[in-house]
Amino acid sequence: MASLQGWLATFLILSAAAISSVAGRFIVEKSSIRVLSPEHIRGHHDAAIANFGVPEYGGTMNGVVMYPDKGTTGCDPFTNGAFKSKTKRPVILLLDRGDCYFALKAWHGQKAGAAAVLVADNIDEPLLTMDTPEASRDHEYVEKLTIPSALVSRTFGEALKKVLAKGNEEVVVKLDWRESMPHPDNRVEYEFWTNSNDECGPRCEEQMNFVKNFKGHAQLLEKGGYTQFTPHYITWYCPEPFILSKQCKSQCINNGRYCAPDPEQDFGEGYDGKDVVIENLRQLCVHRVANESGRPWVWWDYVTDYHIRCSMKEKKYSRDCAEKVVKSLGLSLDKISKCMGDPEANVENEVLKREQEVQVGRGSRGDVTILPTLVINNVQYRGILERTAVLKAICAGFKESTEPPVCLSGDIETNQCLESNGGCWQDLQLNITACKDTFRGRICKCPTVNGVRYDGDGYNSCEAVGPGRCTINNGGCWSDTKNGQTFSACSELDLSGCHCPPGFHGDGHKCEDVNECKDKLACTCPDCSCTNTWGGYDCKCKGNLLYIKAEDTCIAKNTSRLGWFWTILVLACVVGAGVGGYIFYKYRLRSYMDTEIMAIMSQYMPLDNQHNENQPLRPDSTA
């Protein structure tokens, strides 16, 4: 008993030291509640997401608020049957704070048919996170909670009760978690704050079960480049006056800089806290070394294997066992040892020092003060640490339409495109739709088919645009074939739009034949006889006359021959003139160039006809 009291005293000191070393800022993660009816209390309100149950990250829930006639705290089971709304909407049960654990209230609500539980605060204060106290972890209902819960302000709770007391109409609200999880891009970054100690009761069992069950999803997401995972471990430091005490020496390494509580809460037997710190450090270095080798997901294999092969319960929690696990996974022992450094040295450990720094909350992330804690996109996850619940939260962190396939499975989300095509545009003939299923719902966005882009609002219209558009359903334009002839209103010369071809009129989506004969658009000469055809016309001349379509006239055939003769003659003359002009041009050009060359050469070298008249042929000759 004395040793336990000593451990508790030391633990309080260590905890106080840890708290004093950080900013002490706890962030309350919130969701939104919108009152839809009655109209006079419509509005938006904040709700603090509970740290148990399954929040519907990325989704919404419409339901009817109900307040029990008795047992308003929800501390006892409801015995009057399940809560049901008149309109068959989901029931969102409103309960009062006080008298029992928050999680127990939610459990009784879930057992009574509630789809969600709201707990109204009983004092005016900032919203706080409803957590499950350590003692209540022993109860089975904590792990069986599958509905979301939230704490609302006293003012909002009283407003709801006041309307419900009248009993005139239903109070319909919309619980909205869509913006509770940031979703900026196509990669989710998340951290898991855990511990290698497997003798800390229900909390240790919870986090270890999560690691084993979530391992498959985590590794697939990491290998696909969809996520970036980082493990973390909480450590404390020993205050300087106690560094030489037995408690600090058994629980700390590096001269009291990094500490963890004694696993058995007894300094006289079993493992020491420093054993836990060393193994935590090793697991951090396993992730570092695995990450450097391009295999960060190996951390999940190491942690699960170490828990199985090196359990504290079986007295195998040791360095030798850890190194065997490292070797079996193909990791370098030398690199891990170098990363860990010397636990006995009176120096800072780079890895553990960094852990203490990031434990402090910055920006939108609060301090990490409890284990286990999951941080997704810099926001602390609230809810039960269970495979499917956490996967939903991670899926809510992806930008719409960038989610991996696992997020769009039927077990995780509902495909809204399967019902009435989500209200989006579709082409049943080509089986093309603008409905894009996402984890957060659906978006109506015109698709790209075989490299051809569709453009439009996605709801009422989508039209093929750009090169190659006519190859897909004729670009959505009119087309028809008769008597072996095909006409189309889609032109590859136009990047968009539909235009009826010559011989037709219409808006391009529907084209009708133009009757050139009836409308006097062609074949109007006195000697012409017009017959309309599909997409054109046929014009004939009386007697032995020849129809000239370009002039829309009839001429004699012999005149036509004479015309051809004169045409050929004129063309021959033009060609002859061109050839002659070319020959004349070449001659003049050559003469001009010769003259220019001579003029240039005369400036640099004497010419015979300029100087030879007055100079002898040889220096020794005379005239």
Side-chain angles (χ1 to χ4, degrees):
M1 187 64 178
S3 61
L4 179 57
Q5 290 175 344
W7 178 87
L8 288 174
T10 304
F11 180 72
L12 289 175
I13 292 173
L14 294 174
S15 300
I19 292 172
S20 65
S21 68
V22 300
R25 190 172 60 97
F26 185 85
I27 300 295
V28 177
E29 309 300 347
K30 300 175 183 178
S31 60
S32 174
I33 298 180
R34 179 185 175 190
V35 179
L36 304 179
S37 66
E39 186 172 353
H40 70 276
I41 62 168
R42 282 185 179 180
H44 291 268
H45 302 270
D46 285 335
I49 305 174
N51 204 27
F52 49 80
V54 183
E56 295 292 336
Y57 282 106
T60 62
M61 178 188 295
N62 286 14
V64 175
V65 178
M66 298 187 71
Y67 184 64
D69 296 330
K70 58 182 179 178
T72 59
T73 60
C75 291
D76 297 312
F78 296 100
T79 58
N80 295 331
F83 291 98
K84 295 181 180 179
S85 66
K86 298 177 182 178
T87 54
K88 296 185 178 180
R89 287 190 177 101
V91 172
I92 298 174
L93 188 61
L94 178 65
L95 298 173
D96 293 325
R97 181 182 178 181
D99 298 342
C100 63
Y101 293 129
F102 291 118
L104 185 61
K105 299 174 186 286
W107 172 246
H108 289 154
Q110 177 176 307
K111 293 286 287 182
V117 168
L118 300 179
V119 178
D121 206 342
N122 53 9
I123 58 175
D124 293 320
E125 63 176 348
L127 291 175
L128 54 86
T129 298
M130 298 189 299
D131 196 11
T132 304
E134 187 73 27
S136 70
R137 293 279 176 176
D138 296 330
H139 298 287
E140 292 184 357
Y141 67 79
V142 176
E143 296 182 358
K144 294 181 180 179
L145 276 170
T146 58
I147 64 172
S149 302
L151 182 74
V152 297
S153 68
R154 176 180 174 276
T155 303
F156 181 44
E158 291 299 327
L160 292 175
K161 295 175 194 176
K162 186 176 180 180
V163 176
L164 291 169
K166 296 179 180 179
N168 298 330
E169 53 185 321
E170 289 186 330
V171 177
V172 181
V173 299
K174 181 178 184 178
L175 308 184
D176 193 341
W177 296 269
R178 288 177 297 181
E179 299 305 320
S180 298
M181 183 64 65
H183 48 102
D185 50 37
N186 61 353
R187 190 182 75 170
V188 171
E189 299 173 3
Y190 70 108
E191 311 165 7
F192 182 48
W193 290 80
T194 182
N195 198 338
S196 63
N197 179 6
D198 59 12
E199 284 285 279
C200 59
R203 292 262 181 177
C204 283
E205 294 177 6
E206 178 188 20
Q207 61 187 358
M208 199 61 241
N209 287 335
F210 167 71
V211 170
K212 290 189 291 186
N213 294 331
F214 194 71
K215 170 184 170 181
H217 288 319
Q219 292 183 326
L220 286 175
L221 291 170
E222 196 83 1
K223 290 178 181 179
Y226 297 110
T227 60
Q228 183 182 57
F229 168 73
T230 307
H232 288 294
Y233 297 79
I234 289 180
T235 60
W236 296 270
Y237 71 86
C238 186
E240 188 172 353
F242 299 92
I243 288 178
L244 298 179
S245 67
K246 177 181 178 182
Q247 291 83 355
C248 280
K249 286 184 176 181
S250 67
Q251 297 182 94
C252 308
I253 66 172
N254 294 105
N255 199 38
R257 288 180 174 88
Y258 315 104
C259 313
D262 187 281
E264 297 85 10
Q265 302 180 9
D266 190 334
F267 300 123
E269 59 181 61
Y271 294 97
D272 294 329
K274 67 179 182 180
D275 296 325
V276 176
V277 180
I278 292 173
E279 180 54 33
N280 290 347
L281 175 59
R282 181 179 289 106
Q283 293 187 6
L284 285 167
C285 288
V286 164
H287 182 262
R288 282 199 176 191
V289 172
N291 192 39
E292 291 172 358
S293 66
R295 301 188 300 152
W297 51 83
V298 173
W299 178 89
W300 296 86
D301 293 318
Y302 176 85
V303 173
T304 52
D305 287 358
Y306 185 84
H307 178 72
I308 295 172
R309 299 170 60 179
C310 311
S311 171
M312 283 185 175
K313 296 177 181 179
E314 298 179 4
K315 307 301 179 183
K316 296 180 180 179
Y317 191 93
S318 65
R319 173 182 174 178
D320 291 340
C321 185
E323 291 184 348
K324 291 178 182 178
V325 177
V326 169
K327 289 180 180 179
S328 69
L329 296 174
L331 297 173
S332 171
L333 275 175
D334 292 338
K335 289 183 178 180
I336 292 175
S337 297
K338 183 179 179 181
C339 170
M340 292 178 65
D342 183 6
E344 301 298 330
N346 185 12
V347 296
E348 294 281 2
N349 183 287
E350 177 203 348
V351 178
L352 293 178
K353 181 180 179 181
R354 176 59 180 165
E355 290 299 289
Q356 289 184 342
E357 291 174 352
V358 297
Q359 183 179 337
V360 180
R362 291 179 176 87
S364 60
R365 199 203 75 184
D367 300 337
V368 179
T369 57
I370 60 175
L371 289 178
T373 293
L374 193 70
V375 180
I376 304 173
N377 282 352
N378 219 32
V379 168
Q380 290 193 20
Y381 164 81
R382 301 300 183 204
I384 188 173
L385 199 63
E386 185 269 336
R387 178 184 63 87
T388 303
V390 170
L391 181 60
K392 284 184 177 181
I394 290 177
C395 289
F398 290 100
K399 184 178 180 180
E400 286 88 348
S401 77
T402 67
E403 303 92 342
V406 66
C407 292
L408 303 179
S409 66
D411 295 335
I412 302 299
E413 62 94 36
T414 301
N415 189 345
Q416 296 183 10
C417 293
L418 298 179
E419 184 176 346
S420 301
N421 196 50
C424 305
W425 171 90
Q426 64 177 331
D427 187 322
L428 294 175
Q429 181 180 356
L430 296 177
N431 194 27
I432 299 174
T433 176
C435 191
K436 177 73 173 179
D437 181 38
T438 72
F439 181 79
R440 311 176 86 85
R442 67 95 180 92
I443 57 175
C444 295
K445 182 179 180 181
C446 293
T448 297
V449 182
N450 297 333
V452 178
R453 182 172 62 88
Y454 279 73
D455 191 21
D457 62 10
Y459 293 90
N460 300 312
S461 64
C462 287
E463 181 179 332
V465 297
R469 67 189 185 95
C470 295
T471 62
I472 305 277
N473 195 32
N474 200 49
C477 303
W478 171 87
S479 178
D480 200 359
T481 300
K482 288 184 181 180
N483 302 324
Q485 283 187 307
T486 300
F487 290 94
S488 170
C490 185
S491 173
E492 293 289 358
L493 300 178
D494 300 323
L495 296 181
S496 62
C498 302
H499 307 283
C500 293
F504 295 87
H505 65 85
D507 60 3
H509 298 283
K510 184 178 181 181
C511 297
E512 296 180 353
D513 177 54
V514 175
N515 192 331
E516 292 86 354
C517 300
K518 181 179 179 181
D519 297 338
K520 303 297 183 181
L521 300 176
C523 199
T524 58
C525 54
D527 298 322
C528 296
S529 174
C530 186
T531 303
N532 186 60
T533 63
W534 187 66
Y537 63 92
D538 185 16
C539 191
K540 295 181 178 179
C541 297
K542 296 179 181 179
N544 198 29
L545 299 178
L546 180 66
Y547 178 67
I548 304 300
K549 188 173 184 179
E551 302 296 333
D552 194 30
T553 187
C554 293
I555 62 174
K557 291 185 178 181
N558 55 355
T559 302
S560 177
R561 295 194 188 96
L562 180 62
W564 280 110
F565 171 76
W566 283 111
T567 301
I568 293 172
L569 180 63
V570 170
L571 288 174
C573 293
V574 171
V575 172
V579 172
Y582 176 74
I583 294 173
F584 178 74
Y585 165 75
K586 292 285 287 184
Y587 171 75
R588 291 283 296 174
L589 179 63
R590 183 171 182 178
S591 298
Y592 173 76
M593 291 181 64
D594 288 345
T595 302
E596 289 295 316
I597 293 171
M598 291 287 289
I600 294 170
M601 293 180 63
S602 67
Q603 297 179 25
Y604 298 96
M605 57 183 359
L607 300 179
D608 293 343
N609 61 355
Q610 290 180 341
H611 304 286
N612 286 355
E613 293 179 358
N614 299 322
Q615 296 181 1
L617 294 175
R618 293 184 179 86
D620 58 347
S621 64
T622 60

